[in-house]
Amino acid sequence: NQILASKPDFRSLFLNPENQIMLHLEVAVAAPIHQALTYSYSGSSTSLLRPGIRLLVPLGRRQVTGYLLECRKAQPANYEIREIIEILDEYPLFPEKFVDLFRWIADHYRYPLGEVIKNCLPGGLISRTDREIFLTNRADPAELNRECPNNPPPWLKKLLKEGSSRISGAASLTKTWKKRLTKWQEKGLIESREVIVRSRTKPKTETHVFLGEEQPGHDLNVSEKKTLEAISSFPGYREKGIPRKDLNKIYRGAGQALKGLDRKGIIRLQKKRVFRDPLGERPPCFARPEQLTDEQQQAMAEIIPTLKGRSFQAFLVHGVTGCGKTEIYLRAAEETLKQGRSVLVLVPEIILASQMTGHFLSSFGPDRLAVLHSGLSPGERLDQWQQIMEGRADIVIGARSAIFAPLTDCGLIIVDEEHDPAYKQEDKLRYQARDLAVLIASRSQALVLLGSATPSLTSYLNSERGKYRLLSLTKRIDNQQLPKVSIVDLRATRKAGEPPRLFSEELLKALRTNLEKEEQSIIFLNRRGYASFMLCLDCGNPVHCRRCNISLTLHKGQKILACHHCGYSVPSAIICPNCRSSRIREIGFGTERVEEELQNNFPEARIARLDRDTTARRDHLMTTLRKVRQQEIDILVGTQIISKGHHFPEITLVGVLWADAGLGLPDFKAGERTFQLLTQVTGRAGRGAKKGQVIIQTHQPGHYAIICAREHDYHKFYQTELEMRQRFKFPPYSRLACLTFAGKKEEKVKEAAAQTANLIKKEKNKENFSLLGPVPCPLSRLKDRFRWQILLKSPNYKELHRIYEQLIASPPTLLRSKAISLTVDIDPENML
């Protein structure tokens, strides 16, 4: 942190301060402002002013981070153009060609341009201004406290207790507090000053030891002689130097000796940039097949000419589970690298990034590989980003956000499991990474491979219409058979008066048989925790989250009830908040309870669980996956994390406990997601030499999504689902925009949604779109804010943009206040 005393003099940065150059800079600020702003710069050189660098710029009374988009010669203006405060970078953080991409994203997803760039870059790179407040000698903390409300904000508590406090983002103060602080300052009770908060993430450096120009003399002590001996034993010490920490491991007494050797000129100490290792425990190595199958060869025969032609083309690789899509990715990447171009690989989950990284490490080694995902620390992510930017890495593997990797000449983009909804960002910048992959490939004259055993309806329809080229892989490697799938009707297994059972007799028998044969099993349930909720037996009310309109989930191991939406939690030993009764019972089940019941049924079995609760620690995740591969685990319990992408050859049984869990959701994609999830988890069985078996437990055995998953029939499901979508004009036969209104007072939120709907209904071109709502969101209250929504449908997304632009230009009265927020989600994946 540095106190901003005065505006820095940039002339000191340059060689010739006499030859001043005046420029106008187009800057996107990291603030909710949709257009770029113009700032001035005067200096003697423009060498540092390149698109992609960060600047500290004034914005109102604050200083914020801005991103330089363009420099141009200053032109006379009839208004004041403020000057930048500071240049924050020596080198750009993103290529200049990304500027147009960021503009497109901001326009399409209706999001402020500077915030788009902020979301695309590694975290922790924002500088901002905070307000630091001090009590003067004239102030009486007790008297000030009496003027305050009953629940003072945390910064005020600290001010009254310690005499100073910092307010992060002073612009976020309410009008009441701004007036009160102004009053105190006028009375001389407080003083304040601006403080620049620098970015948290910085490059990592280590001290290296190099030999100096002086030759060792006879006046060396024993420790210094041993230190020089240790240095000379280190390979490549003359050219590369030796990290001081490694030298200390060889000889513990080197720390003090280095100081003396440095003074004598025999060695020199130099700080060098080092890159943090993001991989941790190395993923497993995977052997490459000696030859491709006939279907793989046919696919490569279409891919390679397109890669050599350096032209844009989107391929949809539709292959059954276990057909060898990954080997096609590797061969395509190999050809791309031969041409001197780079490769971007996207996976939907962090857990899959580790497995995909293992494949690419096995084929291309670690030196040219970078990894980008939210599981990395800010420092690791910055290092990976800069290695890509500097051209050190030409293969990038990552989750959704890796789509913004600053590759300068990307020739191939791979989107594995392209159907997965995880490619859609659900808050802030609500982009769809799969769609951006196609856009970026088209702009870069690159090839994009969209791979899936269960392609999204939109992607498959695009292949039928000729927008994508379809590559079909209908057989597993070595002609392995797809697993046999049987369905258990849970309605028939439940006896009157008995609570519902987790495991049917068929599934328990199959698990026991698998254990006797020393084969591995997977139990799948897409719900974490121990119980779905806690119910009061006296008043009949579930225990709800205090901030959201949703019941709390029991996590028995942690002894808490937790909200999976806002993070609120309370101890599980609780009395009913409604009637104060202590008779509270667990209702429903999650993966934690499944694990417990399996241990009770099969005490001799080695059981592990993978869900969001257990994968928070990356080392636990990698260890569990390694144990499954090494057959040290008999039964693996998990959520959708284990349903796709994993290759465990010894898994021969998959049990699905509640197959229709997602069919009741108020979402037009509920059937598609259920089919995809069942097909993917079914594909984990029988991928080795032994045949696989799948048992699906469900209350809706006749549902077309479940029947098609049993029959491994994607095309039947596709035709059935497509007919319903066409009938109701849902995607892919329309484009959607979801408008969500949120605020602390439900009536105001409802009224704002109604005002907006009435305004939209007055549009002249009503035949070009349809409006659904307003209605409460399925999750009608989240994080203490009530939520209502409107859904707009149109065959043309430009019509949706036009309606939204007119709405923002002339908003209803309630939307002009800060009490109600409006967010727009273009092409929403989640309707909750």
Side-chain angles (χ1 to χ4, degrees):
N1 301 330
Q2 295 181 7
I3 298 171
L4 181 62
S6 62
K7 184 167 60 179
D9 183 3
F10 279 97
R11 290 174 296 183
S12 62
L13 291 173
F14 306 105
L15 298 176
N16 300 309
E18 303 85 13
N19 303 321
Q20 295 293 297
I21 298 174
M22 178 65 74
L23 293 175
H24 283 170
L25 311 180
E26 187 179 8
V27 179
V29 295
I33 298 174
H34 283 265
Q35 72 276 15
L37 303 178
T38 300
Y39 290 89
S40 67
Y41 164 77
S42 59
S44 58
S45 172
T46 60
S47 60
L48 293 179
L49 294 173
R50 289 181 282 169
I53 66 167
R54 291 173 303 147
L55 307 169
L56 193 66
V57 298
L59 183 66
R61 297 182 179 179
R62 299 178 292 150
Q63 284 83 42
V64 298
T65 297
Y67 307 97
L68 181 58
L69 306 180
E70 184 182 348
C71 300
R72 55 181 178 270
K73 188 176 179 180
Q75 300 291 333
N78 55 4
Y79 52 87
E80 179 188 0
I81 297 180
R82 303 178 74 179
E83 192 168 354
I84 67 172
I85 297 169
E86 187 177 351
I87 297 173
L88 298 176
D89 298 308
E90 294 182 31
Y91 304 102
L93 289 174
F94 54 84
E96 184 175 356
K97 68 175 185 178
F98 273 33
V99 172
D100 287 340
L101 173 66
F102 291 148
R103 292 185 197 276
W104 186 93
I105 292 171
D107 179 65
H108 182 73
Y109 292 107
R110 322 311 295 176
Y111 205 73
L113 179 57
E115 295 286 322
V116 166
I117 301 174
K118 174 185 171 182
N119 278 272
C120 297
L121 295 179
L125 294 178
I126 295 297
S127 296
R128 67 177 192 276
T129 302
D130 284 354
R131 178 72 60 181
E132 192 145 27
I133 302 175
F134 304 88
L135 292 181
T136 67
N137 294 332
R138 299 171 59 183
D140 180 0
E143 183 178 343
L144 293 179
N145 190 40
R146 285 192 290 271
E147 293 185 31
C148 300
N150 294 330
N151 295 314
W155 61 263
L156 180 60
K157 292 180 182 178
K158 185 177 180 182
L159 175 66
L160 299 178
K161 182 178 179 181
E162 301 178 13
S164 66
S165 182
R166 180 175 296 177
I167 304 174
S168 298
S172 62
L173 286 172
T174 63
K175 290 182 180 180
T176 303
W177 274 114
K178 286 179 180 178
K179 289 180 180 178
R180 185 174 282 121
L181 290 178
T182 301
K183 176 183 174 183
W184 289 353
Q185 193 161 7
E186 290 173 350
K187 290 182 176 180
L189 303 178
I190 63 170
E191 291 180 357
S192 68
R193 64 185 180 188
E194 286 183 335
V195 178
I196 295 180
V197 181
R198 299 292 181 182
S199 58
R200 304 187 307 274
T201 307
K202 297 180 180 179
K204 182 180 179 181
T205 59
E206 287 182 354
T207 300
H208 281 57
V209 181
F210 291 85
L211 287 181
E213 297 180 358
E214 295 294 328
Q215 295 298 317
H218 298 290
D219 60 338
L220 300 182
N221 60 39
V222 175
S223 181
E224 289 172 342
K225 289 179 181 178
K226 288 185 177 181
T227 300
L228 287 176
E229 290 174 3
I231 292 174
S232 61
S233 69
F234 206 90
Y237 69 94
R238 292 187 181 275
E239 299 81 16
K240 299 179 181 178
I242 307 171
R244 184 165 61 182
K245 65 176 185 179
D246 292 343
L247 185 61
N248 288 331
K249 293 177 182 177
I250 298 173
Y251 173 52
R252 291 185 178 181
Q256 287 297 324
L258 287 175
K259 296 178 181 178
L261 292 171
D262 187 28
R263 284 195 303 268
K264 296 172 183 177
I266 297 172
I267 60 104
R268 58 186 172 86
L269 302 177
Q270 178 182 331
K271 286 192 177 293
K272 288 182 64 176
R273 170 76 189 274
V274 294
F275 293 97
R276 285 156 277 217
D277 182 7
L279 297 178
E281 180 181 338
R282 284 292 188 268
C285 289
F286 294 93
R288 299 283 298 276
E290 295 182 3
Q291 62 182 20
L292 299 179
T293 66
D294 291 342
E295 289 184 330
Q296 286 175 324
Q297 290 176 10
Q298 292 171 11
M300 293 308 302
E302 293 195 47
I303 291 171
I304 289 179
T306 309
L307 285 172
K308 290 181 176 179
R310 290 176 173 255
S311 58
F312 163 67
Q313 180 61 59
F315 286 93
L316 177 62
V317 185
H318 177 207
V320 297
T321 54
C323 68
K325 293 187 288 293
T326 302
E327 186 60 29
I328 289 178
Y329 301 158
L330 294 170
R331 301 284 175 122
E334 194 171 40
E335 181 62 36
T336 305
L337 296 172
K338 285 180 183 177
Q339 299 175 25
R341 307 188 78 186
S342 51
V343 177
L344 173 61
V345 185
L346 298 182
V347 292
E349 303 273 2
I350 295 175
I351 188 174
L352 296 181
S354 300
Q355 176 142 322
M356 189 64 75
T357 300
H359 284 287
F360 276 81
L361 274 175
S362 303
S363 297
F364 304 107
D367 294 338
R368 61 197 315 177
L369 197 66
V371 179
L372 284 177
H373 54 69
S374 60
L376 304 181
S377 70
E380 290 171 341
R381 191 171 175 83
L382 175 64
D383 284 355
Q384 296 293 291
W385 186 273
Q386 291 187 334
Q387 287 196 81
I388 301 165
M389 193 69 189
E390 294 169 10
R392 295 170 180 261
D394 50 11
I395 303 173
V396 178
I397 300 174
R400 176 179 60 227
S401 61
I403 189 62
F404 303 114
L407 293 166
T408 53
D409 184 19
C410 186
L412 173 66
I413 302 178
I414 297 165
V415 185
D416 192 32
E417 309 295 353
E418 67 86 30
H419 67 277
D420 200 293
Y423 282 121
K424 180 66 188 284
Q425 175 75 21
E426 294 294 348
D427 59 2
K428 297 181 180 178
L429 174 58
R430 299 168 184 259
Y431 64 91
Q432 167 55 264
R434 178 198 59 212
D435 297 347
L436 288 182
V438 177
L439 174 70
I440 292 171
S442 67
R443 293 184 170 206
S444 306
Q445 293 303 297
L447 183 147
V448 59
L449 295 177
L450 307 173
S452 177
T454 54
S456 65
L457 265 67
T458 300
S459 293
Y460 203 84
L461 186 61
N462 282 338
S463 73
E464 290 189 332
R465 291 173 172 175
K467 187 176 180 180
Y468 301 160
R469 284 167 66 179
L470 179 64
L471 303 175
S472 295
L473 303 173
T474 60
K475 300 177 182 177
R476 280 185 159 184
I477 299 296
D478 298 329
N479 289 319
Q480 296 164 348
Q481 297 298 307
L482 289 167
K484 178 185 177 182
V485 183
S486 57
I487 295 178
V488 175
D489 186 353
L490 291 175
R491 298 171 302 179
T493 62
R494 184 175 178 181
K495 297 180 180 179
E498 288 187 357
R501 299 173 60 188
L502 277 178
F503 304 100
S504 62
E505 288 298 330
E506 292 92 330
L507 183 52
L508 287 173
K509 182 179 178 181
L511 284 168
R512 192 171 292 108
T513 301
N514 242 33
L515 287 170
E516 290 170 356
K517 294 179 353 185
E518 297 185 350
E519 296 176 8
Q520 293 174 291
S521 307
I522 281 179
I523 298 298
F524 171 76
L525 173 65
N526 204 24
R527 176 169 289 179
R528 60 191 172 110
Y530 185 86
S532 305
F533 58 94
M534 300 285 281
L535 185 72
C536 176
L537 298 180
D538 288 331
C539 70
N541 287 323
V543 180
H544 272 88
C545 174
R546 292 173 60 181
R547 304 178 62 200
C548 309
N549 187 22
I550 192 169
S551 57
L552 297 176
T553 300
L554 172 64
H555 293 256
K556 192 173 182 179
Q558 298 171 270
K559 298 181 179 180
I560 61 170
L561 295 169
C563 175
H564 291 166
H565 292 273
C566 75
Y568 171 78
S569 64
V570 294
S572 56
I574 190 175
I575 62 174
C576 176
N578 184 55
C579 70
R580 316 306 290 176
S581 169
S582 60
R583 299 202 315 138
I584 297 182
R585 180 179 176 182
E586 305 153 358
I587 302 294
F589 48 87
T591 49
E592 189 180 359
R593 181 180 167 193
V594 171
E595 181 185 22
E596 181 181 279
E597 293 214 9
L598 283 171
Q599 290 285 11
N600 293 335
N601 279 281
F602 308 106
E604 75 284 1
R606 298 166 297 177
I607 300 171
R609 172 166 56 95
L610 282 180
D611 53 28
R612 192 175 296 179
D613 298 323
T614 62
T615 56
R617 288 177 40 236
R618 190 173 184 275
D619 57 342
H620 175 81
L621 164 64
M622 298 301 292
T623 300
T624 304
L625 293 177
R626 174 173 49 78
K627 286 183 176 180
V628 175
R629 282 188 293 267
Q630 295 175 354
Q631 295 179 263
E632 297 175 14
I633 290 174
D634 299 314
I635 304 174
L636 179 63
V637 180
T639 57
Q640 64 179 357
I641 290 174
I642 65 171
S643 69
K644 51 187 174 289
H646 300 290
H647 180 67
F648 301 133
E650 301 304 319
I651 296 285
T652 56
L653 172 66
V654 170
V656 181
L657 297 191
W658 187 13
D660 48 296
L663 289 176
L665 295 175
D667 192 333
F668 71 94
K669 289 187 177 181
E672 181 180 10
R673 290 199 180 128
T674 297
F675 170 78
Q676 289 168 340
L677 206 53
L678 292 178
T679 301
Q680 293 289 340
V681 74
T682 293
R684 299 315 104 202
R687 297 171 72 97
K690 302 171 184 175
K691 291 184 179 180
Q693 177 188 7
V694 179
I695 297 176
I696 297 177
Q697 299 183 168
T698 176
H699 292 89
Q700 300 184 54
H703 195 282
Y704 65 93
I706 294 174
I707 291 174
C708 291
R710 180 191 64 190
E711 298 172 355
H712 309 290
D713 195 340
Y714 173 82
H715 295 283
K716 181 179 179 181
F717 170 81
Y718 171 75
Q719 293 296 337
T720 305
E721 184 75 11
L722 207 61
E723 289 173 7
M724 289 196 295
R725 300 278 185 90
Q726 190 171 23
R727 190 185 316 152
F728 296 105
K729 295 294 184 292
F730 272 109
Y733 295 102
S734 67
R735 302 293 292 271
L736 300 182
C738 184
L739 306 181
T740 302
F741 306 81
K744 293 192 174 183
K745 295 183 178 180
E746 185 174 16
E747 285 304 314
K748 293 292 184 183
V749 175
K750 179 180 178 181
E751 188 178 350
Q755 287 180 0
T756 302
N758 292 334
L759 201 62
I760 295 174
K761 288 175 183 177
K762 295 178 182 178
E763 288 283 333
K764 295 179 181 179
N765 302 323
K766 292 182 180 179
E767 67 279 0
N768 295 335
F769 70 91
S770 59
L771 181 148
L772 302 177
V775 295
C777 295
L779 296 176
S780 59
R781 181 168 167 254
L782 282 179
K783 300 178 182 179
D784 278 330
R785 293 174 68 83
F786 294 94
R787 305 162 71 241
W788 279 63
Q789 68 183 13
I790 292 173
L791 192 65
L792 296 174
K793 290 196 298 183
S794 176
N796 188 347
Y797 76 90
K798 291 182 179 179
E799 184 69 15
L800 301 177
H801 283 182
R802 184 189 64 80
I803 295 170
Y804 184 73
E805 286 170 3
Q806 291 189 3
L807 179 63
I808 295 302
S810 301
T813 306
L814 283 172
L815 287 185
R816 294 173 186 170
S817 70
K818 293 184 179 180
I820 307 295
S821 66
L822 169 63
T823 57
V824 59
D825 189 358
I826 303 295
D827 299 325
E829 281 283 348
N830 189 339
M831 307 298 293
L832 300 181

